[in-house]
Amino acid sequence: QVQLVESGGGLVQPGGSLRLSCAASGVIFNIGGMGWYRQAPGKQRELVAVISSGGSTNYADSVKGRFTISRDNAKITVYLQMNSLKPEDTAVYYCNVRLNYKEYWGQGTQVTVSS
């Protein structure tokens, strides 16, 4: 059984920073692509950033230059460094990881950007 545990969300002022983490555990023999999605109240879940098994990255236009996705395969963990946060970044953030050729979602972590 594979489990994902997210951490790092919270309340931050505009212009601040947060770092999200998503760690996988269990019997894992293959690690594929990893990514972060977010869902704001009343909106559909949207892609924030993805990183391939080879390290290639892709970002939503709204976060380019402010967010950085990275991964540590030894720790089976994906990170999202979020800088220059804006109120419109407020959402529940979910990690999405392909492990053992299956797709898994984290439980979600709330990020609130407000003064």
Side-chain angles (χ1 to χ4, degrees):
Q1 185 75 8
V2 173
Q3 290 187 326
L4 298 179
V5 177
E6 296 185 29
S7 60
L11 173 64
V12 64
Q13 291 187 342
S17 298
L18 284 174
R19 189 192 194 207
L20 305 183
S21 299
C22 173
S25 62
V27 178
I28 297 168
F29 54 83
N30 181 272
I31 307 171
M34 298 176 164
W36 289 93
Y37 291 72
R38 67 186 181 187
Q39 187 166 18
K43 294 187 177 181
Q44 290 189 330
R45 190 173 297 189
E46 63 176 1
L47 171 71
V48 176
V50 293
I51 183 167
S52 71
S53 56
S56 298
T57 58
N58 194 22
Y59 297 90
D61 288 342
S62 59
V63 306
K64 281 181 181 177
R66 300 188 298 122
F67 291 11
T68 302
I69 188 171
S70 61
R71 60 190 285 164
D72 184 333
N73 288 337
K75 296 181 179 179
I76 318 178
T77 300
V78 59
Y79 305 96
L80 186 67
Q81 178 66 45
M82 304 185 294
N83 299 328
S84 303
L85 282 161
K86 305 175 180 179
E88 51 263 43
D89 294 318
T90 296
V92 178
Y93 284 70
Y94 298 90
C95 62
N96 176 274
V97 182
R98 192 160 184 85
L99 300 169
N100 301 343
Y101 308 106
K102 295 180 181 179
E103 185 180 47
Y104 295 89
W105 288 91
Q107 81 279 11
T109 185
Q110 177 69 46
V111 171
T112 301
V113 185
S114 174
S115 55

